Amino acid sequence: MKLYCLSGHPTLPCNVLKFKSTTIMLDCGLDTTAALSFLPLPLVHSPRLSKLPGWVSKDGAINLEKELKECSGRVFVDSQPEFCLPEKELLDLSTIDVILISNYHCMMALPYITEHTGFTGTVYATEPTLQIGRLLMEELVTFMERVPKAHAASCWKNKDIQRLLPSPLKDAADVWSWRTCYSMSEVNSALSKVQLVGYSQKVELFGAVLVTPLSSGYSLGSSNWIIQSHYEKVSYVSGSSLLTTHPQPMEQGSLKNSDVLILTGLTQIPTANPDGMLGEFCSNLSMTIRGGGNVLVPCYSSGVIYDLLECLYQFMDSANLGSTPFYFISPVANSSLEFSQIFAEWLCQNKQSKVYLPEPPFPHAELIQTNKLKHYPSIHGDFSSEFRQPCVVFTGHPSLRFGDVVHFMELWGKSGLNTIIFTEPDFSYLDALAPYQPLAMKCVYCPIDTRLNFHQVSKLLKDIQPLHVVCPEPYTQPPPAQAHRSDLMLELQPPPMAYRRCSVLGLPFRRRYERIQLLPELAKSLVPSEIKPGVSVATVSAVLQSKDNKHVLQPVPKPAPVPPSKKRKRVMEEPPEVLNPKPLLSGAVPLEPFLATLHKNGIMEVKVEETADGHILHLQAEDVLIQLEEDGTHIICDNNEPLRTALRDLVLRFLQKL
Amino acid sequence: MDSDCLSLLPAVCLVLADPKQSPPDDTSLEKLLDWFKEMHSQSNEQVLLQHQPCFKEFISSVCTSKTTDPAILSFTLKLTGLLACTKQGFHLLEVGGLLVCVFEREAWFVCDLWEDASVRSGWLQGLLNMLKHRQALDFICGNGLLKVILQLQNDGSLFVACLANQLLVHILNFLTSSNMTNGSDAVESRESSLSPDWVSVSSEIMNGVVEALSSDDHPRVLQGLRLLSSVPSQCGEPIRSTLWKDVLVPLEVLINRGSESLTQPLMTVLQAAVRTPLLGQSEYKVEELLEAMLGSGNKNESFQCAALTIKLEKCPEGLKRKAIDIVLLPLQCVSAQSQDTEKMNLALKEQLSQKASCISHLMQSLSSLEELAYTKYQFEGISIHSVTSSVVLLLRICSGHYPSSLIQNNASTHLIGCCKVQRCGLDTLGALSVYEENMNIRKDIFGVLLDYLKSPDSHATVLKKTYQATVSWIAVCSPFPDLLQFISHDLFPVLKKRMCDLRWEVRDSTLEFITQLTVALNGNSGFIEALHTSGMVSILLSSLADSEGYVRASAVAVVGEAVDSFLHHTVLVSKSNLLEEALKQMMTILSQDTEGFPRRAVVKAFTSWLKGSHLVTAVHPFLSSVLSLGCNDFDWEVKMHTLELAEVLMEKTLTCCPYAVQNFGSSEKELMQALSKLKEFGLFDLLFNSLFDCDRPVCAKGRWEF
């Protein structure tokens, strides 16, 4: 059993598990942090961005004025943003049988894997994962296609040039594997390969393994996966949460007794408590509004935004925010808000029960009804005429490189009254803000990551007790910025197996058993004999049939009576000849009674020698040696077949026959 | 009323004596006993017993009945004791042999009743009630009841055992009391010796204590210690010193054995001894025993002992110093830098690696330190500077921010986010502000306090404690010029955010803190200027519309203070419309707010403004509205505050006419003017209305003001 690690990112995993002749890809997360090296894509012409000076090396030897622009001491690529894909060279992607998706954030690289690689397998995901994943992909494609770039920059990737560039471009790894965004047709084609599954539904893969999604409590439809055969169990835990937010709570019981647990997707900000951050978010928001400023929240169009809106719904009256408009701007804003309301069965109990009242499970429905929350596909159109300040705007993309957020950064960045509040933990907020410097607006970093923290995960592992844990390398040491916080790492016995990008791990357990089915008629024919209390054995003569990784023992077909025909039959049609098997012997030959028997049969002169394994009997007159050992008896008797047979029969008297 | 009740007494006694009519519970019996006690204390007891023969009949019938209810018997025992607590009563009961019949359990018709704990407790309570005169003690000793009492000290029922203990202490106390010296066989000097008649009684009890202390039976030892802890404070000489001498050996054995479960009772005994002259006399070894209890500071109980020793009122200085050294060990150990590792003892390190003991030891360290700081204790050999730094470091550890040079121990993992230690540490840090030596590390201290105020993970109660500590430090640091910089640059931005916190408790304590800050720095013009120019005021005003009543009330208080401080600062007055805005919103609250707290706060703010000299004219146009709204409020406390406002208004208005008191006649005109002014305010309507108010305190206050 092997694990191929195509991504080293702890929360955007992409691993391939080879288990019992199946090749299973676990998630395919897309690392979008590479986009931070690119200039933002403004929706409206930005004089500031267009006037940025091009980059020329100090000695003037390299001139990349058209590809690279300088802004506040940093260099950015002026091209369509690109993303870092999972590793494609480690494994032939066409051999992948299935892809299991754990949540909608971990499927964003799907079109890169399923399209143009020869992939012919199936993708398994829950319905909310598919639908919201589709929205996020659609949004990404729209963001990119809305602002097309005339030319693509690639000269800077040249190794000889790249090493001369200023940081962080100089240090970017695998830049040649970076790719621009996929197209909508690729998205559609990739998603057409998805087969929907429900929690606890058992899906059989080629008869060899069963895969089962379990609720992971992180987002709508998010799942952990159990991959098991009859005798082995691998659990895949990715992006799980034990907090009480909107999704169904995490199912932990089924993860018990795993041979291997692959653990990914822990919180990216282990020192930030989500409740505290939510409080921080609300108080900063309220403070800015009270001060007459606007609040910009760069966020994904699904996920934490539902919780943020719910929290604000409760908080806005007490904070006198009743009259402040909230805007949600995204090409998929409407669908996202509506989808959240229809997936009732995937929600926590509290929200599920609301549906029976009937009431919408999320209170943002009421915010929309009362006009407190308005959503628009883009800043163009209705929004521009209805826009009122001070206000709160939720919009993407959190990297601040594309999407409507770029416009708001240009619009509000110059005033100290406004605040940008980062809630998504995926990007460094300082890097995200770099191309907007100098910036007057206030910046607040309140990353809300509800995924398991180290304290919760060690409790969970104590409870479910897997034999081996496999995890990304960063989890095995404290965060670099807090090297003394030994509580922010996994400390397990045995120590977890760590992986990084391009690792290939041999998982530390051997498969020792295979289940074989015995057909009833064959079972009926068995004659078990008890060899010791509680243990009976029987010999089986049967034909083993293996099909679709299932093994069945069938009775041996009886030879058809040969018809009295003189026609010659084809040899192929003849059933195999069945020989009566020799009986199996068991038991031990006791020395003293055996000597007595020999004596009785006229063999008098026996010299007994004790050896490490038993005894050697030397029948001196006959010049025969009998070796009596624990697991075998040998009669060494040259050229005297009758004597050997006679001695053999004497030995057999002491043994049981099956 | 009492006479009416007394006439019913025979019938009540009959009902009580009737086994078929047992009372539903003993509450009514207890109430009856209370009434008897009251009667007894008010009148001559002879009247009760002589004029109520039903008592004797009742007692006799209960004792001779074969079907007595345990509750009734218990009641009877207590009642008999009560009736026999005077010599006359005792005599009347003893004459017919009734007393013996009651307290000699062999005389009871139903012997099994003794098994009932309530009966045993009643028996002891009866004796305790009775033991007010010498005859009673004679009766107890003469009938061999002392042995029974000693046995009951180890009774399975905790109440019975406690009562037995109490009775034994009472007997010992009684032996040295004045009651015993009035008789013919009074001893010459009760201070020095006991009458030989009583020596045997005291020695029987003392032997019992010594035996209990030497016993292997844990509950028995505990009872012995409990009795012993009551003796020093309740009994006089020579009992106190004799008993102490007797128990010294077993006490030493117990202390040296070092059982953790006995730490607290042993300390109680020693604590009791410390308060008596026993402490000063070396033969009684009180100090030595305390020192033995402290040990060398490596046992779990040493820290508890040290913490208790520090709390002793008359603790010898040397001992106190040793206790301080011990109690501070956990704090120093947790905050020790890696170079100090060798100095730490292993046992302590081990204890600190376990969460529960780590937290408890640190709490003891911190609370002891806080206690010492309250008395401004002058540490010797320990720098207060380093102790304060340790507290600061501990608080940093608790918030997860600490230098990596700290020793890697498990303690830090237990402490991150531990609210208990955080709260305790902040209290201690606040208390440490009394030491001037700490002024040069104020930057560190304000730094850690600011971190706590900023931290999104700070619990509401932790924030409250942080505010309290910050106020203490700001109050002592007010002379330093860098304080204003800290307040306006660091503190105000955090406070602005906290005033918008999700949790109303935090918003409330933030507003309270700003009020305290404004009061503490009232004369500081720099602070007032910073408060009014930093944009704080607009957030304070918007807090007046908070959704939570308590927060609105606190906002009213802080706006009241801010307005007051603001008017001291004439430069600012012209630039702002704070007063108008505040008055407008406060009047809205008083007339429309659905909760009482904010309305009360508004009236209080007006009262406080009126008491000051600056605002009198500015608030005048609003006073009649405030008085009339306050007078008609549903909340009686609002009315009370309105009456207080009226009182201040009267004082202010009437003292405006200089002859109001001294020369009434000549200033009649001014007085009339003042009164008509008060009438304009509607003050008389308020007072008249309050006279007929349905709430008694309002009526009383109104009457008083008239």
Side-chain angles (χ1 to χ4, degrees):
Chain A
M1 185 186 292
K2 281 196 167 165
L3 188 74
Y4 296 77
C5 309
L6 311 188
S7 155
H9 198 297
T11 41
L12 297 167
C14 183
N15 298 316
V16 175
L17 177 73
K18 286 207 174 201
F19 177 43
K20 272 195 83 174
S21 72
T22 56
T23 307
I24 304 169
M25 178 177 269
L26 305 168
D27 281 331
C28 46
L30 181 65
D31 185 357
T32 48
T33 48
L36 292 175
S37 303
F38 292 78
L39 266 192
L41 297 179
L43 272 176
V44 183
H45 174 73
S46 158
R48 185 185 73 88
L49 289 173
S50 59
K51 279 182 198 152
L52 289 176
W55 182 81
V56 183
S57 66
K58 274 181 191 161
D59 55 4
I62 306 167
N63 186 338
L64 288 177
E65 275 182 325
K66 285 193 176 163
E67 287 200 356
L68 304 177
K69 303 281 179 196
E70 262 191 286
C71 176
S72 301
R74 277 180 73 158
V75 177
F76 296 92
V77 182
D78 187 11
S79 176
Q80 196 81 11
E82 295 177 359
F83 310 125
C84 179
L85 271 49
E87 187 59 48
K88 284 175 144 185
E89 307 300 321
L90 195 64
L91 185 93
D92 180 1
L93 296 179
S94 68
T95 61
I96 289 169
D97 298 313
V98 292
I99 302 178
L100 307 180
I101 303 292
S102 54
N103 61 67
Y104 45 76
H105 287 297
C106 291
M107 63 184 286
M108 298 298 281
L110 198 61
Y112 296 114
I113 306 287
T114 60
E115 307 310 301
H116 321 298
T117 56
F119 173 80
T120 54
T122 313
V123 183
Y124 289 100
T126 60
E127 192 179 359
T129 303
L130 169 69
Q131 300 302 356
I132 298 173
R134 181 193 294 278
L135 292 184
L136 293 182
M137 287 181 185
E138 251 181 58
E139 185 187 49
L140 195 63
V141 173
T142 316
F143 283 159
M144 296 296 175
E145 291 180 352
R146 231 168 29 176
V147 194
K149 280 265 179 186
H151 58 272
S154 61
C155 295
W156 69 276
K157 292 183 181 175
N158 193 310
K159 260 188 191 166
D160 296 329
I161 296 176
Q162 196 200 350
R163 65 186 169 84
L164 299 171
L165 297 179
S167 282
L169 278 182
K170 183 174 72 173
D171 311 314
D174 302 320
V175 289
W176 283 106
S177 67
W178 290 10
R179 289 287 175 273
T180 51
C181 190
Y182 32 71
S183 67
M184 207 53 222
S185 63
E186 286 170 324
V187 171
N188 288 332
S189 166
L191 296 183
S192 68
K193 298 176 175 81
V194 176
Q195 192 162 325
L196 297 181
V197 282
Y199 287 149
S200 303
Q201 181 184 336
K202 289 185 165 58
V203 179
E204 199 181 59
L205 305 182
F206 317 113
V209 292
L210 277 181
V211 293
T212 316
L214 302 172
S215 172
S216 76
Y218 169 55
S219 59
L220 270 177
S222 68
S223 17
N224 292 321
W225 291 86
I226 304 281
I227 303 146
Q228 60 189 338
S229 65
H230 293 300
Y231 295 100
E232 297 89 16
K233 180 173 175 181
V234 178
S235 298
Y236 174 56
V237 171
S238 164
S240 302
S241 175
L242 290 170
L243 300 182
T244 318
T245 53
H246 60 270
Q248 238 187 64
M250 180 183 178
E251 146 90 65
Q252 299 176 52
S254 308
L255 299 170
K256 283 184 182 169
N257 306 320
S258 304
D259 295 293
V260 173
L261 184 127
I262 304 168
L263 180 68
T264 66
L266 300 186
T267 175
Q268 299 192 73
I269 319 286
T271 48
N273 165 20
D275 283 334
M277 287 296 141
L278 205 57
E280 219 31 29
F281 170 81
C282 288
S283 43
N284 280 299
L285 184 143
S286 161
M287 195 169 67
T288 308
I289 298 293
R290 284 194 202 188
N294 300 294
V295 177
L296 178 62
V297 187
C299 60
Y300 292 116
S301 50
S302 181
V304 175
I305 186 170
Y306 305 139
D307 298 314
L308 288 181
L309 289 173
E310 181 156 3
C311 183
L312 284 174
Y313 168 80
Q314 291 159 359
F315 176 65
M316 58 206 287
D317 288 331
S318 67
N320 303 328
L321 297 176
S323 58
T324 311
F326 288 29
Y327 300 116
F328 177 21
I329 303 167
S330 159
V332 297
N334 186 28
S335 316
S336 166
L337 292 173
E338 284 183 359
F339 268 140
S340 65
Q341 306 283 22
I342 60 166
F343 289 127
E345 60 179 295
W346 305 89
L347 293 172
C348 61
Q349 197 52 49
N350 196 6
K351 293 214 177 312
Q352 271 191 34
S353 49
K354 277 193 170 184
V355 182
Y356 298 105
L357 290 177
E359 269 177 28
F362 285 96
H364 56 238
E366 197 186 317
L367 289 177
I368 296 169
Q369 247 175 19
T370 53
N371 264 336
K372 285 177 180 164
L373 172 67
K374 294 181 176 183
H375 54 85
Y376 303 91
S378 131
I379 52 165
H380 301 301
D382 290 348
F383 174 72
S384 48
S385 54
E386 291 172 21
F387 174 52
R388 216 157 36 80
Q389 299 190 74
C391 63
V392 182
V393 170
F394 297 87
T395 188
H397 186 269
S399 66
L400 307 189
R401 293 300 179 271
F402 40 87
D404 301 88
V405 73
V406 177
H407 176 70
F408 288 99
M409 285 306 294
E410 295 290 329
L411 188 71
W412 290 343
K414 294 170 208 81
S415 166
L417 285 179
N418 303 325
T419 306
I420 176 168
I421 309 181
F422 290 89
T423 54
E424 301 290 351
D426 288 354
F427 303 91
S428 142
Y429 76 103
L430 290 175
D431 289 342
L433 290 171
Y436 299 97
Q437 299 297 351
L439 200 65
M441 84 193 293
K442 284 192 287 283
C443 300
V444 180
Y445 186 53
C446 306
I448 299 173
D449 197 335
T450 57
R451 286 172 281 205
L452 295 175
N453 60 33
F454 287 97
H455 178 67
Q456 290 166 330
V457 89
S458 44
K459 235 174 152 183
L460 174 77
L461 290 177
K462 240 182 226 167
D463 200 32
I464 59 176
Q465 296 200 323
L467 287 183
H468 301 282
V469 174
V470 180
C471 67
E473 199 173 38
Y475 295 165
T476 57
Q477 56 221 11
Q482 287 148 312
H484 56 294
R485 290 287 298 265
S486 57
D487 56 323
L488 302 182
M489 60 181 280
L490 281 182
E491 274 186 300
L492 301 172
Q493 240 4 284
M497 296 179 69
Y499 71 81
R500 55 169 79 169
R501 192 179 166 101
C502 291
S503 296
V504 180
L505 304 182
L507 297 184
F509 74 94
R510 276 172 188 280
R511 293 185 43 230
R512 294 164 66 184
Y513 298 106
E514 191 66 80
R515 180 172 287 192
I516 294 176
Q517 209 188 342
L518 209 59
L519 284 188
E521 51 267 45
L522 181 68
K524 242 187 258 171
S525 71
L526 298 183
V527 188
S529 48
E530 197 171 46
I531 52 162
K532 58 180 175 186
V535 181
S536 297
V537 295
T539 55
V540 186
S541 297
V543 172
L544 177 69
Q545 189 201 55
S546 289
K547 187 180 170 188
D548 290 344
N549 290 304
K550 285 203 171 83
H551 313 289
V552 183
L553 279 179
Q554 296 174 333
V556 181
K558 283 180 188 149
V562 183
S565 157
K566 285 181 184 172
K567 275 185 186 172
R568 279 192 64 179
K569 281 192 80 179
R570 276 164 50 194
V571 180
M572 286 296 285
E573 285 175 13
E574 291 214 1
E577 192 187 348
V578 184
L579 298 171
N580 276 338
K582 285 184 181 173
L584 297 172
L585 302 173
S586 69
V589 183
L591 183 67
E592 289 306 323
F594 183 59
L595 287 175
T597 313
L598 288 176
H599 201 262
K600 226 183 256 176
N601 286 279
I603 301 167
M604 304 294 184
E605 287 177 57
V606 183
K607 192 179 160 196
V608 180
E609 190 184 320
E610 202 165 326
T611 65
D613 301 324
H615 296 91
I616 296 175
L617 278 55
H618 188 197
L619 281 51
Q620 289 175 327
E622 295 79 8
D623 195 21
V624 172
L625 283 177
I626 302 176
Q627 287 177 329
L628 295 177
E629 287 167 0
E630 205 177 331
D631 53 354
T633 303
H634 301 277
I635 300 165
I636 303 157
C637 168
D638 288 338
N639 306 323
N640 191 348
E641 186 58 19
L643 179 62
R644 191 192 71 79
T645 319
L647 288 172
R648 183 199 68 189
D649 291 343
L650 289 181
V651 169
L652 287 178
R653 277 192 207 172
F654 292 95
L655 298 175
Q656 280 182 303
K657 294 182 190 69
L658 282 173
Chain B
M1 188 181 158
D2 279 345
S3 60
D4 290 347
C5 292
L6 281 173
S7 65
L8 289 173
L9 211 50
V12 172
C13 285
L14 275 178
V15 172
L16 289 175
D18 185 355
K20 287 175 198 157
Q21 300 190 37
S22 56
D25 62 65
D26 54 3
T27 329
S28 46
L29 296 176
E30 285 299 324
K31 280 191 180 155
L32 204 52
L33 271 176
D34 285 343
W35 179 59
F36 288 148
K37 245 182 239 173
E38 206 178 318
M39 295 275 296
H40 220 272
S41 62
Q42 284 169 3
S43 61
N44 186 352
E45 78 290 341
Q46 273 192 31
V47 178
L48 202 60
L49 201 56
Q50 278 176 339
H51 295 274
Q52 294 294 336
C54 61
F55 275 132
K56 283 172 92 173
E57 283 161 28
F58 165 69
I59 294 167
S60 157
S61 77
V62 169
C63 291
T64 52
S65 165
K66 288 179 184 172
T67 49
T68 303
D69 185 275
I72 297 291
L73 180 56
S74 174
F75 167 76
T76 313
L77 289 161
K78 289 177 200 168
L79 175 66
T80 313
L82 200 65
L83 295 171
C85 75
T86 56
K87 287 178 187 167
Q88 292 85 345
F90 182 85
H91 183 69
L92 279 171
L93 288 168
E94 202 189 23
V95 166
L98 203 53
L99 218 48
V100 179
C101 180
V102 172
F103 288 104
E104 275 284 356
R105 52 190 173 118
E106 282 80 17
W108 299 348
F109 273 65
V110 194
C111 294
D112 290 352
L113 283 173
W114 185 253
E115 301 305 314
D116 196 299
S118 70
V119 172
R120 299 198 296 279
S121 152
W123 187 82
L124 287 164
Q125 189 62 55
L127 291 179
L128 199 59
N129 289 348
M130 184 168 71
L131 195 60
K132 297 278 179 349
H133 48 81
R134 215 191 118 159
Q135 282 76 6
L137 188 61
D138 278 335
F139 174 77
I140 290 173
C141 300
N143 289 295
L145 302 186
L146 195 57
K147 221 169 234 130
V148 185
I149 301 169
L150 280 168
Q151 278 167 8
L152 287 178
Q153 218 196 340
N154 304 309
D155 196 274
S157 155
L158 205 64
F159 292 105
V160 174
C162 254
L163 213 50
N165 242 339
Q166 213 176 319
L167 184 54
L168 287 171
V169 174
H170 192 61
I171 292 172
L172 285 175
N173 184 24
F174 196 70
L175 291 175
T176 53
S177 71
S178 55
N179 289 325
M180 299 298 291
T181 58
N182 292 339
S184 55
D185 48 356
V187 287
E188 281 177 30
S189 164
R190 61 189 176 88
E191 284 294 313
S192 56
S193 63
L194 277 180
S195 149
D197 291 359
W198 305 120
V199 170
S200 63
V201 178
S202 69
S203 59
E204 192 173 350
I205 298 175
M206 289 183 198
N207 287 343
V209 178
V210 174
E211 270 174 39
L213 294 188
S214 320
S215 155
D216 292 330
D217 186 17
H218 186 72
R220 227 182 131 191
V221 179
L222 271 180
Q223 284 305 335
L225 287 172
R226 270 185 205 138
L227 189 145
L228 192 56
S229 61
S230 313
V231 169
S233 57
Q234 292 185 27
C235 301
E237 290 295 354
I239 294 282
R240 190 194 291 144
S241 48
T242 318
L243 178 63
W244 193 258
K245 263 184 211 159
D246 286 354
V247 298
L248 209 49
V249 175
L251 209 53
E252 271 180 306
V253 172
L254 283 176
I255 287 172
N256 291 330
R257 200 187 294 160
S259 160
E260 204 175 326
S261 56
L262 290 180
T263 308
Q264 183 70 49
L266 278 168
M267 278 308 286
T268 317
V269 169
L270 293 175
Q271 225 163 344
V274 166
R275 293 199 189 101
T276 65
L278 291 173
L279 176 66
Q281 299 168 46
S282 58
E283 64 202 285
Y284 298 119
K285 295 183 173 177
V286 177
E287 202 173 331
E288 235 171 89
L289 291 176
L290 273 168
E291 205 157 342
M293 280 294 285
L294 286 177
S296 56
N298 55 1
K299 287 180 289 184
N300 241 347
E301 63 273 15
S302 312
F303 301 108
Q304 200 186 344
C305 288
L308 290 169
T309 309
I310 289 169
K311 283 190 189 132
L312 291 178
E313 284 159 27
K314 292 177 184 171
C315 183
E317 193 51 36
L319 199 65
K320 194 167 190 170
R321 248 177 254 158
K322 187 175 176 186
I324 292 171
D325 284 346
I326 292 173
V327 92
L328 290 181
L329 275 176
L331 178 65
Q332 287 162 342
C333 185
V334 167
S335 56
Q337 306 282 320
S338 40
Q339 62 265 25
D340 305 333
T341 328
E342 291 154 20
K343 291 181 201 161
M344 295 184 334
N345 73 50
L346 282 172
L348 178 59
K349 252 175 127 179
E350 177 60 34
Q351 283 163 25
L352 290 176
S353 68
Q354 281 156 14
K355 190 172 180 175
S357 57
C358 173
I359 291 174
S360 112
H361 286 348
L362 282 171
M363 301 272 283
Q364 265 162 357
S365 268
L366 290 168
S367 49
S368 301
L369 191 55
E370 186 189 351
E371 205 142 328
L372 291 165
Y374 280 136
T375 59
K376 211 176 172 186
Y377 181 81
Q378 289 308 313
F379 293 88
E380 268 182 44
I382 307 171
S383 125
I384 187 66
H385 196 278
S386 80
V387 171
T388 312
S389 299
S390 297
V391 177
V392 170
L393 203 54
L394 176 65
L395 285 170
R396 285 198 193 286
I397 295 173
C398 289
S399 63
H401 304 106
Y402 52 91
S404 46
S405 60
L406 269 186
I407 298 155
Q408 286 294 315
N409 55 22
N410 289 337
S412 52
T413 331
H414 306 319
L415 295 173
I416 296 172
C418 176
C419 288
K420 262 187 185 175
V421 179
Q422 286 177 341
R423 282 194 294 258
C424 200
L426 287 162
D427 275 343
T428 310
L429 189 63
L432 285 167
S433 62
V434 294
Y435 295 101
E436 290 84 13
E437 298 94 308
N438 282 332
M439 290 306 130
N440 52 352
I441 51 165
R442 61 183 186 281
K443 216 171 171 184
D444 269 3
I445 291 162
F446 282 126
V448 78
L449 291 172
L450 199 64
D451 281 348
Y452 270 77
L453 291 179
K454 276 182 183 169
S455 167
D457 297 330
S458 292
H459 192 266
T461 53
V462 173
L463 281 171
K464 173 102 188 167
K465 296 279 183 193
T466 315
Y467 284 137
Q468 285 168 354
T470 312
V471 165
S472 313
W473 279 97
I474 284 181
V476 296
C477 290
S478 56
F480 294 99
D482 54 354
L483 180 71
L484 273 183
Q485 175 83 1
F486 165 74
I487 291 178
S488 55
H489 281 81
D490 302 316
L491 194 58
F492 279 167
V494 184
L495 295 181
K496 280 184 200 171
K497 198 173 74 186
R498 288 294 176 201
M499 276 193 277
C500 303
D501 202 279
L502 262 183
R503 300 158 289 182
W504 71 263
E505 295 92 335
V506 175
R507 299 201 295 274
D508 192 43
S509 44
T510 308
L511 291 166
E512 279 175 2
F513 168 71
I514 301 171
T515 312
Q516 289 162 354
L517 201 63
T518 316
V519 172
L521 299 172
N522 200 8
N524 190 325
S525 58
F527 168 75
I528 296 163
E529 197 176 337
L531 181 71
H532 289 273
T533 53
S534 60
M536 287 283 282
V537 171
S538 69
I539 301 187
L540 290 179
L541 285 172
S542 65
S543 294
L544 289 171
D546 198 280
S547 61
E548 182 63 44
Y550 297 115
V551 181
R552 290 198 298 278
S554 300
V556 168
V558 69
V559 168
E561 277 303 324
V563 166
D564 202 28
S565 70
F566 172 71
L567 291 173
H568 282 285
H569 211 278
T570 42
V571 186
L572 291 167
V573 180
S574 55
K575 292 182 192 166
S576 162
N577 60 347
L578 170 66
L579 182 63
E580 292 79 50
E581 189 58 31
L583 281 168
K584 195 175 116 196
Q585 290 203 40
M586 284 195 181
M587 291 311 291
T588 315
I589 290 178
L590 186 62
S591 57
Q592 291 170 15
D593 204 298
T594 51
E595 286 181 59
F597 289 105
R599 300 200 305 270
R600 288 177 212 165
V602 170
V603 183
K604 275 201 272 185
F606 271 92
T607 311
S608 130
W609 284 339
L610 215 56
K611 277 183 185 165
S613 52
H614 299 277
L615 276 162
V616 179
T617 47
V619 298
H620 266 198
F622 296 90
L623 283 177
S624 67
S625 306
V626 174
L627 292 178
S628 99
L629 285 167
C631 166
N632 294 313
D633 204 284
F634 291 117
D635 186 303
W636 70 270
E637 284 195 57
V638 174
K639 288 184 206 164
M640 287 295 279
H641 289 307
T642 312
L643 285 170
E644 270 162 32
L645 173 69
E647 199 180 330
V648 177
L649 184 63
M650 280 193 286
E651 270 170 28
K652 286 271 169 184
T653 316
L654 294 177
T655 47
C656 285
C657 20
Y659 308 109
V661 183
Q662 297 158 3
N663 196 349
F664 212 80
S666 65
S667 63
E668 206 170 322
K669 198 179 163 195
E670 284 91 340
L671 183 66
M672 284 313 289
Q673 275 176 348
L675 288 174
S676 70
K677 210 172 170 186
L678 290 176
K679 188 175 175 295
E680 276 171 37
F681 285 138
L683 184 119
F684 297 112
D685 293 340
L686 165 76
L687 295 181
F688 279 121
N689 277 339
S690 66
L691 281 181
F692 301 104
D693 200 276
C694 52
D695 285 305
R696 228 162 85 174
V698 179
C699 269
K701 176 101 182 150
R703 220 167 31 226
W704 185 83
E705 283 187 19
F706 256 115

